[in-house]
Amino acid sequence: MQLNNTRLELIYNMIKNECKVFDCFGDVGTDHAHLPVFLLQQGLFRSAIASDVNVLPLKRAEENIRRYGYIDKVTLLLSDGLSKYTKECDVVCIAGLSGTTIISVLEKYIESPWENNPIFLLQPNTAISDTRKFLAKHGFVFKEEQVCIDKKHEYPVIKGYFTDKNDNDTDTVFYHLGLFKDKNDENTERYLNILYKKYNDVIKKISNIDRSLSDREASLLKELQTVTEFIENKIRIQK
């Protein structure tokens, strides 16, 4: 089986970088269960849980799991987030969901965290800054961040785990850029350029509003101006 999906390939490589074999992989919002099957094929896990909040994705997942002969190694689970997991996983992936949904899943998790302190791989499609803000304020250790840029869409993936300590960077720039604020590779520069353009478009729209700005609009304008100024200076320094 091939993933044929640059986003999933990125997540796979971020797991592979741990350089060890794990017991159990948890895939929240599994859809077709492509990632659990591939990880088992590569020998990175001994078992997996493929969960979804809807029945139809689980049926698609079961078809793939049976096709590749892993029905005895993958548990299919109808679950809202991690709420129905009866076995703790070593690595949990929550990818392709909104940031709001991911935050909701993690809010429930931190109320009753697992004993084995799993590694999380998180790929929010929206509300990325809100997701980082939530993580930072709840003691999440940001181990790694990578981004997949595919057909003009960017998919940042956050890797880390929760801890009782809270030594995170909690400024506006970090919430928007995460570990990318200190990275200097070509892919990061490309990603920052995309964000710079997007944020500037929003800044222009807010600036052109023909009335007094609401508190929320004024706060967002100031926030995005801070981030775009940082990106501008960072890219200029690199060049």
Side-chain angles (χ1 to χ4, degrees), residues 112-135:
S112 181
W114 294 344
E115 292 183 2
N116 70 344
N117 199 16
I119 295 170
F120 284 90
L121 287 108
L122 309 170
Q123 186 265 300
N125 284 340
T126 60
I128 298 168
S129 61
D130 290 338
T131 304
R132 285 199 191 94
K133 188 173 184 178
F134 170 84
L135 294 171

Side-chain angles (χ1 to χ4, degrees), residues 1 10 20 66 71 75 89 103 154 176 200 210 234:
M1 175 184 177
L10 174 61
K20 63 183 293 186
R66 288 189 181 280
I71 198 64
T75 300
C89 301
I103 290 171
E154 63 280 358
H176 283 268
N200 266 312
D210 190 21
K234 179 178 174 62

Side-chain angles (χ1 to χ4, degrees), residues 6-207:
T6 52
R7 179 174 58 91
L8 294 183
E9 287 172 359
L10 174 61
I11 293 171
Y12 157 70
N13 283 318
M14 291 174 75
I15 296 171
K16 184 181 177 183
N17 288 345
E18 291 293 312
C19 299
K20 63 183 293 186
V21 176
F22 296 96
D23 179 37
C24 186
F25 174 70
D27 191 23
V28 176
T30 192
D31 198 17
H32 292 77
H34 287 154
L35 190 56
V37 169
F38 188 76
L39 290 169
L40 288 169
Q41 283 183 326
Q42 302 307 308
L44 295 182
F45 291 87
R46 299 182 186 91
S47 65
I49 299 173
S51 68
D52 207 285
V53 72
N54 295 309
V55 173
L56 184 59
L58 288 179
K59 288 183 177 179
R60 292 195 295 258
E62 183 177 9
E63 290 173 2
N64 277 324
I65 292 165
R66 288 189 181 280
R67 180 180 300 119
Y68 291 100
Y70 289 106
I71 198 64
D72 59 334
K73 292 188 176 182
V74 182
T75 300
L76 291 162
L77 193 61
L78 185 65
S79 177
D80 182 6
L82 298 166
S83 62
K84 299 291 180 63
Y85 279 54
T86 57
K87 179 179 180 180
E88 295 190 0
C89 301
D90 303 289
V91 179
V92 174
C93 178
I94 314 176
L97 305 179
S98 71
T100 303
T101 300
I102 290 176
I103 290 171
S104 177
V105 170
L106 295 177
E107 280 177 333
K108 295 173 184 175
Y109 168 80
I110 61 178
E111 289 176 1
S112 181
W114 294 344
E115 292 183 2
N116 70 344
N117 199 16
I119 295 170
F120 284 90
L121 287 108
L122 309 170
Q123 186 265 300
N125 284 340
T126 60
I128 298 168
S129 61
D130 290 338
T131 304
R132 285 199 191 94
K133 188 173 184 178
F134 170 84
L135 294 171
K137 290 189 173 182
H138 288 86
F140 189 82
V141 176
F142 292 77
K143 284 188 67 177
E144 182 183 4
E145 286 198 61
Q146 299 289 344
V147 62
C148 163
I149 301 172
D150 181 22
K151 297 179 181 178
K152 298 184 179 179
H153 293 284
E154 63 280 358
Y155 303 99
V157 181
I158 302 165
K159 174 182 171 183
Y161 56 91
F162 287 97
T163 180
D164 292 333
K165 296 180 181 180
N166 195 342
D167 302 323
N168 283 310
D169 190 345
T170 55
D171 68 359
T172 297
V173 173
F174 180 79
Y175 293 153
H176 283 268
L177 305 184
L179 298 182
F180 296 104
K181 67 178 286 190
D182 296 318
K183 296 180 70 172
N184 297 310
D185 58 277
E186 184 177 338
N187 204 42
T188 295
E189 182 172 336
R190 186 181 172 197
Y191 176 48
L192 295 185
N193 271 299
I194 291 171
L195 290 184
Y196 183 77
K197 182 178 179 181
K198 285 186 174 182
Y199 285 6
N200 266 312
D201 287 343
V202 177
I203 289 170
K204 289 176 184 177
K205 288 180 181 178
I206 296 175
S207 300

Side-chain angles (χ1 to χ4, degrees), residues 180-181 183-184 230-238:
F180 296 104
K181 67 178 286 190
K183 296 180 70 172
N184 297 310
F230 177 90
I231 294 174
E232 193 174 82
N233 290 332
K234 179 178 174 62
I235 291 175
R236 183 186 299 128
I237 290 170
Q238 287 180 229

